[in-house]
Amino acid sequence: MSDLVIVFPLYPGVTHLDFTGPQQVLCRVPGAKIIVASMGGADIEADGLTFTNLADLATVEACDVICVPGGFGTSAAMLDEAFMSHIKRLAGGAKYLTSVCTGSLILAATGLLKGKRATCHWAWKDQLKPFGVIVTEGRVVRDGNIITGGGVTAGLDFAFTMVAELAGDALAQSLQLGLEYSPAPPFNSGTPDTAPPEILAAVTAMMAGAMGDRQGAAEEAARRLQSNGLNAT
């Protein structure tokens, strides 16, 4: 395998595990060239870590896989026309369109997920609907060449799924063993269905502040698609 270009486009407010988890796995695929890029190659701060030496997104000519991470900066990213122009350009020519967590909202804002099945973090899934996405449950959801991971930690499940797709099950299983990926969480509270009611209520309340802004951003991004002649609904 050679010349397999995988691009992770970063933006302010990205969640670093959304891309560092998949990057750690995918960088071990033979022949893979991983490009982590931002607008102008600017440093990106994410939850106290600063990512530097990034490629300029505008200079990335094409890729085989685009993987869009999520984060609380999703709302602004969806409405950043310069950033979105590069996402649309790269996604339009990529063999695989992929995302982790709320990165699927950014992908959806290109118009390329209309009528397709995709997933997102549990708290934000409904915000895919203005783009005509068929919201689907699952840690990893595939619809043709569109492969989306759920919230944050689902990025690892997504990454091993991608390795199997790109290089076969044997390599995916070998990397899983080499990285000792054998999840055994100390609590069974990782989904709304399994979390204690009081924990679910507290986390939902914590996220409520961003809910309106992100819903508004999703609706505005969908409106822009419609005004540009790309019907999102």
Side-chain angles (χ1 to χ4, degrees), residues 118-213:
T119 194
C120 188
H121 185 286
W122 62 266
W124 315 105
K125 284 180 180 178
D126 284 349
Q127 294 175 2
L128 288 167
K129 293 179 180 178
F131 301 104
V133 176
I134 302 170
V135 181
T136 307
E137 299 292 331
R139 291 279 285 178
V140 181
V141 171
R142 177 169 189 168
D143 191 333
N145 69 331
I146 298 168
I147 304 176
T148 54
V152 190
T153 60
L156 286 170
D157 299 63
F158 155 80
F160 289 110
T161 299
M162 283 304 305
V163 173
E165 173 70 19
L166 297 169
D169 290 359
L171 179 62
Q173 292 180 68
S174 296
L175 292 181
Q176 182 180 357
L177 177 59
L179 293 169
E180 198 175 352
Y181 179 57
S182 180
F187 305 104
N188 188 23
S189 60
T191 71
D193 292 337
T194 62
E198 66 275 14
I199 299 298
L200 175 60
V203 173
T204 301
M206 180 180 67
M207 293 180 171
M211 188 65 70
D213 288 344

Side-chain angles (χ1 to χ4, degrees), residues 12-30:
V14 72
T15 295
H16 62 70
L17 188 57
D18 282 9
F19 73 90
T20 53
Q23 190 274 345
Q24 178 69 80
V25 176
L26 292 168
C27 74
R28 301 190 180 201
V29 174

Side-chain angles (χ1 to χ4, degrees), residues 71-96:
F72 283 106
T74 299
S75 299
M78 282 191 292
L79 300 179
D80 183 332
E81 294 185 359
F83 177 77
M84 287 303 302
S85 70
H86 294 300
I87 299 299
K88 292 175 184 177
R89 173 177 60 83
L90 291 170
K95 184 176 180 180
Y96 296 99

Side-chain angles (χ1 to χ4, degrees), residues 4 100-101 127 183:
L4 176 67
V100 176
C101 197
Q127 294 175 2

